[in-house]
Amino acid sequence: MATTNHPGRNFSVDTAPGIRINCFDIGPRDGHPIVVLHGLAGSAQEFFDTARALPEFRTILIELRGHGRSTSLPDDLSREAFVADVVHVIEMVGNAPVTLAGQSLGGHTAMLVAAARPDLVSSLILLESGAGGGSERDNERLGDYFRSWPVPFPSRDAARAYLGDGALHRAWAADLEERPDGFWPRFQPDVMVAAINALIPPRWDEWESITVPALVVYGEHGMFTERDKSEFTGRGRNVRRLDLAGGSHDSHLDAFESWIRALRSFSRPDGDG
């Protein structure tokens, strides 16, 4: 991450009783709107540099429930609850239809928003995402990893030393919340496990119903097999596929220039790059 300072207007939206969703509104208000959804255990901060690199667009970064500065312990972690939050923000911000982009969990959420409310979406960009899948056992292992962090960290440097030097690990360290007793992640492990467990049932019906132009982006070294990629792309109705050389599951961080070119070329009202 180049910097931790956010580059635009910060606002929050109450989307349901007890649920507050934090957002950043970056760029000219009359620019074509791009709404970006981060992945599991991520936050809007991962996409600040993305917004800076697209100064001609109005970029809305939404922090999903249970993440970032949004409500950290929501009662409802269903896919439908995540979708309702995003719909609420898009309707409140206005300027729909928007280009809707998401990475991983955020991409799955974006897909379901486009299926449920096609009137709000002009084009769809999915980075390292799919129709669903996985297992509770694997998801619990991820939760165990998060629970193993020796929090609070005494400093960001200590967090970096523990987490490692990967692009995602640096992003996690940069976004830790500073409290009087140290530095804490902006997510709870049990919430992350519950959120990702909701992705296990594949949502093929929704994916196959989407008619707006969709760009499906994969990192060369991402988490999906070639079979996964081909099936997901092939079962879409109006889909273009792009592979980012050298990119990982977090290609928005480690294949940044290629990611920006993809966003810019496809983020038009008609999705025609």
Side-chain angles (χ1 to χ4, degrees):
M1 302 289 296
T3 179
T4 60
N5 297 320
H6 71 79
R9 301 169 290 276
N10 185 202
F11 68 95
S12 61
V13 181
D14 293 329
T15 60
I19 301 297
R20 176 160 292 186
I21 300 299
N22 186 70
C23 308
F24 296 91
D25 184 353
I26 302 162
R29 292 185 182 274
D30 60 352
H32 175 66
I34 306 175
V35 175
V36 182
L37 311 179
H38 60 79
L40 186 81
S43 74
Q45 182 163 303
E46 290 178 31
F47 290 91
F48 286 170
D49 286 344
T50 291
R52 289 188 183 92
L54 299 170
E56 69 270 38
F57 295 99
R58 182 183 184 184
T59 305
I60 309 295
L61 307 178
I62 299 177
E63 295 193 305
L64 303 174
R65 59 172 58 201
H67 294 76
R69 300 150 190 82
S70 294
T71 297
S72 60
L73 293 171
D75 291 334
D76 188 352
L77 289 164
S78 67
R79 297 281 63 222
E80 290 70 25
F82 281 80
V83 168
D85 292 338
V86 175
V87 167
H88 192 113
V89 173
I90 294 174
E91 289 183 329
M92 191 213 73
V93 170
N95 292 346
V98 305
T99 293
L100 183 58
Q103 184 255 346
S104 194
L105 170 72
H108 192 273
T109 306
M111 174 189 74
L112 296 181
V113 170
R117 292 294 305 273
D119 57 306
L120 298 180
V121 181
S122 61
S123 57
L124 184 64
I125 302 173
L126 307 180
L127 173 61
E128 280 285 309
S129 189
S135 70
E136 291 188 5
R137 178 179 297 180
D138 289 342
N139 295 343
E140 192 60 39
R141 289 195 189 102
L142 180 63
D144 288 341
Y145 166 65
F146 291 141
R147 296 182 193 102
S148 73
W149 292 9
V151 294
F153 294 106
S155 66
R156 290 194 195 278
D157 286 342
R160 294 186 193 102
Y162 177 83
L163 295 171
D165 195 42
L168 179 60
H169 305 108
R170 293 194 301 270
W172 278 333
D175 199 35
L176 292 170
E177 179 184 4
E178 185 175 6
R179 303 179 190 171
D181 59 344
F183 291 80
W184 292 83
R186 295 185 186 273
F187 57 84
Q188 299 292 328
D190 290 349
V191 173
M192 297 301 97
V193 172
I196 198 171
N197 278 343
L199 272 69
I200 293 175
R203 306 295 287 263
W204 289 114
D205 288 347
E206 287 89 343
W207 174 234
E208 292 170 355
S209 76
I210 295 170
T211 59
V212 300
L215 179 66
V216 176
V217 184
Y218 295 107
E220 179 184 7
H221 307 296
M223 67 176 287
F224 293 95
T225 67
E226 181 56 39
R227 181 177 179 178
D228 293 335
K229 298 173 188 179
S230 296
E231 182 181 18
F232 187 67
T233 303
R235 291 178 68 166
R237 296 178 63 179
N238 189 5
V239 179
R240 189 184 311 176
R241 172 177 163 181
L242 177 66
D243 294 84
L244 303 185
S248 72
H249 187 62
D250 302 290
S251 289
H252 59 296
L253 300 174
D254 57 24
F256 182 76
E257 296 301 329
S258 297
W259 163 243
I260 293 301
R261 284 195 297 271
L263 272 178
R264 176 169 280 116
S265 68
F266 207 73
S267 293
R268 302 296 175 186
D270 58 1
D272 187 13

